Amino acid sequence: MQTENHADWDIEIIPQNKWSDIDLTAVWKYRDLVMLMVRRDFVSVYRQTVLGPIWFFIQPLITTLTFTIIFGEIAHIGTDGMPSFLFYLTGITLWSYFSECLTKTSNTFVANANVFGKVYFPRLVVPISVLISNLIRLGIQMMLFLVVWFFYLAHTTVVHPHYELMWLFPFLIIMMAGLGFGFGMLVSSLTTKYRDLTFLLSFGVQLMMYASPIVYPLSSVPSKYKIFIQLNPVSSVIETFKNLFLGGGNLEWIYLLYSFMFMVVLVFLAIVIFTRVEKSFMDTV
Amino acid sequence: MSRTVIKVENLGKQYRLGQVGSRTLSNDLSSWWHRVRGNEDPNLKLGEVNDRTKKGESNLVWVLKNINFEVVQGEVMGIIGKNGAGKSTLLKILSKVTSPTLGSVKIKGRIASLLEVGTGFHPDLSGRENVFLNGAILGMSKQEIRNKFDEIVEFSGVDRYIDTPVKRYSSGMYVRLAFGVAAHLEPEILIVDEVLAVGDAEFQKKCLGKMKDVSEQGRTVLFVSHNIDAINSLCSRTICLKQGEIEFIGTTNEAVNKYLANDTVSLNINDFRIKSLKHLGKQVKIISIEKLSEDGFFVFGRPLRYRIKVVSTEHQNDLRVLFGIYSTRETIVALSYPELSFELRAGVVKTIEFSVNSNSNLTPDSYLTSIGIIQGNLLGKYQNMDIIMSYSAFDLLPPGGEDLNSNMMNWRKVWGNIALEGAITKIE
């Protein structure tokens, strides 16, 4: 065989990981796969259920009802003067998007080991499809939220939405998506080798919920603890969301900016680590 | 000369054996620390040749080492080797499922692998939905799949069930649909691993045909198999892997010969087949099997001769050897039962040589064997003491030269594994 000069190899497989390995264009090439996976997630969950997509509504409704009774009626935790049902529903709707993104992406490697072990496609496709299918879920749950919200808007006088700030809403969703995705990918990358994190995750998410202003308004937090709640990057997103729709809560730009920066760094870090792990995880999983 | 489409240079892959536990963190940290200071990673120095039969010093092994080869466009390259020789690891690196520890692979063109068909099939989705999902996982766009959809369904013959969830499929239908998707992938380089082990005979033929088509269209195929027949009929060149290193690379004929030649095995290992028969090998144990043949082959018309070493933990008598011959599809063809019995004294290794003479009826082909020790009489009351399956497989070659029997070469393809002697007793 002649020693030809092949400068133009299509694929080069080498052991070292480089920064340039992060290949988002590859994910774009596989966009059909992303959409098919979203569809799979959606369809397969509700096959053979009687109520089908109605489950999307039942879950937040029952959680909200439980919170209303336990935290509102029994524990008498304040809600900044908001109707407690609406107050809890607001927090739960946004929080469940975050927590679903986190928990579903966090087992990306372990749950897909079977497929990943046999075929190569950009592994990022999986967590991205999780983000999108949860976004659709959020969309459906937002409809529920809006119905309840309209009801209180029309029948009470305590709800004072900040319509002029509504442009922030998409950013809030992006931040929640980014945070859930980032944390989830970090966990999923690290659990391939160190399974300890799976134990931490389930109650970690629960603890994080209590460290976010969901069942209580930030204003009711004693000042010596307040800073810890505000360091939680999820807090300012939820506070702002409540501020936009309910009028209660505080919009503190500095913390919103902090959360945004936190999210950007987290996502970047997560993608870097994820890309490193995806090359060798079959040997360690 | 055709252009090179795959170039593998100095490829190596290291695995850690045993449990991944707390030590991994300390190893990781020491690797990292040495890298940071620009020293050689101490963990890369460790590791030894991957011989699963010997207990190693270190728990790091090289499952692939110093792999160098090139594949040119349109070539069908076979890869053979015993279990654990590194075949699948090599394919996994080529298909980017896992990354190498050392070396590099350069590839030209779109590559697709059929490491196992049906990857990513979701049981609750219908056949149609799975075709799309699976196609996309394998790298096809939605449009490509839509164009080929009818062809895929026709190829797999599940038209009637296409809108039924695949969990209701028979396993045969499942595999056919999955292979249908994979077969219509049309990459420039196709990697195939043992898919032919599934499906019925008719479907296997279809698959082999499809692979032939692919290679005739000028596309490159890498094919891993234990099926020497398939390798022989499909591949022009073949790599023979042994313990993670290339033992031979060249024409398929030579590679297959090399593969079948070195066949003396020591058996102090825990093969899964032996393990599944737990009570066996406890008191009496076959510790080595050697084929008595200069070049590793047996020739049609001459006896098959073996030497085995046997040891026992306690005194045993009335022992006999059983020698079973299986086709490569693992169905039994014949059994030989030398009637002479022997005894073993505790802890004393006995060497036994036996030969099987009836092979004038066994037709040239590749065969698997089972060698067993029983206590008692096979036709009366007996107990299995030890059985070694599938070691020391052999190839029975047709007689060379201008022997009258040289048409025996073609026997197996059509007429089966036993040539029965017959005679006409009357013509009127």
Side-chain angles (χ1 to χ4, degrees), chain A:
Chain A
M1 231 162 288
Q2 295 286 307
T3 44
E4 301 161 55
N5 185 23
H6 283 293
D8 51 344
W9 297 99
D10 292 326
I11 305 168
E12 209 174 340
I13 304 168
I14 45 171
Q16 288 85 28
N17 290 285
K18 290 191 243 156
W19 294 102
S20 56
D21 285 349
I22 300 166
D23 190 2
L24 295 178
T25 54
V27 178
W28 178 245
K29 274 190 207 143
Y30 277 81
R31 60 190 180 277
D32 283 344
L33 180 57
V34 174
M35 293 328 288
L36 283 163
M37 280 188 164
V38 170
R39 202 183 127 80
R40 177 198 65 183
D41 287 349
F42 235 69
V43 174
S44 63
V45 170
Y46 295 104
R47 282 272 155 95
Q48 291 203 358
T49 60
V50 178
L51 295 179
I54 295 174
W55 283 108
F56 284 131
F57 298 119
I58 295 176
Q59 211 183 329
L61 270 181
I62 291 182
T63 315
T64 307
L65 220 56
T66 315
F67 280 16
T68 311
I69 293 168
I70 292 178
F71 298 113
E73 305 289 316
I74 298 175
H76 294 296
I77 297 174
T79 56
D80 257 357
M82 291 297 138
S84 53
F85 189 82
L86 182 61
F87 180 84
Y88 295 127
L89 185 64
T90 315
I92 286 165
T93 305
L94 204 57
W95 171 261
S96 73
Y97 179 57
F98 168 78
S99 73
E100 281 289 314
C101 285
L102 201 170
T103 48
K104 290 261 171 64
T105 50
S106 69
N107 64 359
T108 302
F109 281 118
V110 178
N112 292 284
N114 184 33
V115 180
F116 285 2
K118 283 164 194 142
V119 192
Y120 172 79
F121 52 88
R123 305 317 191 198
L124 271 174
V125 161
V126 175
I128 288 174
S129 75
V130 169
L131 279 193
I132 296 176
S133 59
N134 275 310
L135 196 63
I136 297 172
R137 214 188 95 158
L138 174 71
I140 296 171
Q141 291 180 347
M142 276 303 286
M143 291 193 299
L144 172 72
F145 167 75
L146 288 177
V147 169
V148 176
W149 180 64
F150 270 125
F151 174 82
Y152 280 101
L153 202 59
H155 292 83
T156 63
T157 52
V158 288
V159 182
H160 304 289
H162 292 280
Y163 296 110
E164 75 284 1
L165 288 172
M166 279 299 172
W167 58 270
L168 271 175
F169 179 63
F171 289 96
L172 298 183
I173 301 299
I174 290 171
M175 282 162 75
M176 277 313 221
L179 288 169
F181 177 79
F183 280 123
M185 298 244 293
L186 276 185
V187 173
S188 93
S189 306
L190 297 175
T191 43
T192 60
K193 219 167 181 179
Y194 313 108
R195 291 286 163 85
D196 314 46
L197 276 173
T198 42
F199 298 104
L200 201 68
L201 183 74
S202 54
F203 76 87
V205 171
Q206 208 160 11
L207 290 185
M208 198 167 168
M209 189 188 90
Y210 290 112
S212 319
I214 290 164
V215 296
Y216 53 84
L218 192 61
S219 60
S220 70
V221 177
S223 54
K224 60 177 171 177
Y225 297 127
K226 203 166 180 176
I227 185 71
F228 295 110
I229 304 294
Q230 283 179 315
L231 280 179
N232 173 1
V234 175
S235 297
S236 71
V237 183
I238 288 173
E239 273 300 289
T240 309
F241 183 62
K242 284 180 176 168
N243 184 265
L244 294 190
F245 283 90
L246 307 186
N250 283 317
L251 201 172
E252 291 187 63
W253 290 99
I254 181 77
Y255 284 107
L256 199 60
L257 192 67
Y258 157 78
S259 296
F260 188 76
M261 295 311 292
F262 191 104
M263 186 272 291
V264 170
V265 172
L266 180 71
V267 167
F268 180 72
L269 199 69
I271 291 181
V272 168
I273 292 179
F274 188 88
T275 315
R276 288 188 72 100
V277 167
E278 73 172 14
K279 297 206 157 178
S280 64
F281 97 101
M282 274 322 295
D283 312 336
T284 52
V285 72

Side-chain angles (χ1 to χ4, degrees), chain B residues 74-179:
Chain B
E75 191 170 23
V76 182
M77 173 77 96
I79 299 173
I80 52 178
K82 299 214 175 68
N83 286 331
K87 303 179 299 277
S88 299
T89 309
L90 179 59
L91 290 201
K92 277 187 176 171
I93 292 173
L94 289 177
S95 51
K96 284 170 81 178
V97 165
T98 185
S99 71
T101 316
L102 290 173
S104 72
V105 180
K106 290 167 186 157
I107 294 167
K108 228 177 155 76
R110 187 159 100 154
I111 190 163
S113 55
L114 304 183
L115 296 196
E116 198 174 288
V117 293
T119 312
F121 265 37
H122 193 290
D124 278 321
L125 297 183
S126 71
R128 182 187 305 275
E129 288 163 325
N130 269 312
V131 166
F132 277 91
L133 185 64
N134 189 232
I137 285 177
L138 294 174
M140 284 196 264
S141 73
K142 226 172 175 171
Q143 193 54 47
E144 273 176 275
I145 305 166
R146 209 170 287 140
N147 294 340
K148 298 231 174 80
F149 187 80
D150 292 334
E151 242 178 283
I152 292 171
V153 174
E154 196 194 338
F155 179 85
S156 44
V158 293
D159 201 9
R160 233 185 124 182
Y161 290 83
I162 198 65
D163 289 310
T164 308
V166 294
K167 64 182 173 187
R168 311 243 181 277
Y169 281 31
S170 75
S171 53
M173 280 159 60
Y174 186 94
V175 167
R176 289 215 293 269
L177 185 65
F179 192 84

